[in-house]
Amino acid sequence: MAVWTRPIDLAQLTALGDGVLPGLLEIEFTAYGDDWIRARMPVGRKVHQPFGRLHGGASVVLAETVASVAGAMAVPEGKVTVGLDINANHVRAARDGYVHATATAEQIGRTTQVWTIRIEDDAGKLVCLSRMTAAVIDAAQG
């Protein structure tokens, strides 16, 4: 069952990040299905920690970006989502190429949403597993 309440234009979603953190990290939305959406982020010096590996904080930025945008696409007009909680388990290093984050809806409720985000490297190996909970609020409250 589709969770999206409006049509999805991946280029338009990517453009939302222009001039703010997702754009600075070059996060790009690449695909979606009935209850999931995917984006990728290049791994290089900009997102490395001092030892040449993907910084865990950059993984969390990617996870929250993908889940937040997914959440915003799954609410009716006049509503927005705001993050309540996010966690991340960093399980494998990435040094170059891209990481690909897929946010899948676990629960889309009237007042809260729960998203699981899998971040994988170009070979499809798990780099980070994250979960985000969002509140659904009136856009005027934002």
Side-chain angles (χ1 to χ4, degrees), residues 41-96:
M41 179 179 71
V43 178
R45 185 152 175 76
K46 184 187 305 186
V47 295
H48 279 170
Q49 39 91 306
F51 305 107
R53 294 174 177 89
L54 176 63
H55 193 291
S59 293
V60 173
V61 169
L62 175 60
E64 186 157 353
T65 298
V66 175
S68 292
V69 169
M73 299 306 295
V75 295
E77 292 292 329
K79 297 286 185 179
V80 296
T81 56
V82 293
L84 290 176
D85 181 66
I86 189 164
N87 67 47
N89 298 105
H90 307 288
V91 297
R92 175 176 278 107
R95 296 177 184 273
D96 54 24

Side-chain angles (χ1 to χ4, degrees), residues 3-4 8 13 28-40 59-74 86 100-108 113-120 128-133:
V3 300
W4 315 122
I8 293 178
L13 294 182
E28 174 189 13
F29 286 86
T30 58
Y32 69 95
D34 285 345
D35 66 348
W36 60 271
I37 193 162
R38 181 175 299 132
R40 69 181 187 168
S59 293
V60 173
V61 169
L62 175 60
E64 186 157 353
T65 298
V66 175
S68 292
V69 169
M73 299 306 295
I86 189 164
H100 308 265
T102 304
T104 303
E106 300 292 344
Q107 170 66 30
I108 303 295
Q113 299 178 353
V114 179
W115 295 88
T116 296
I117 307 96
R118 288 183 61 89
I119 300 177
E120 300 172 338
C128 177
L129 185 62
S130 182
R131 179 160 290 172
M132 189 184 99
T133 303

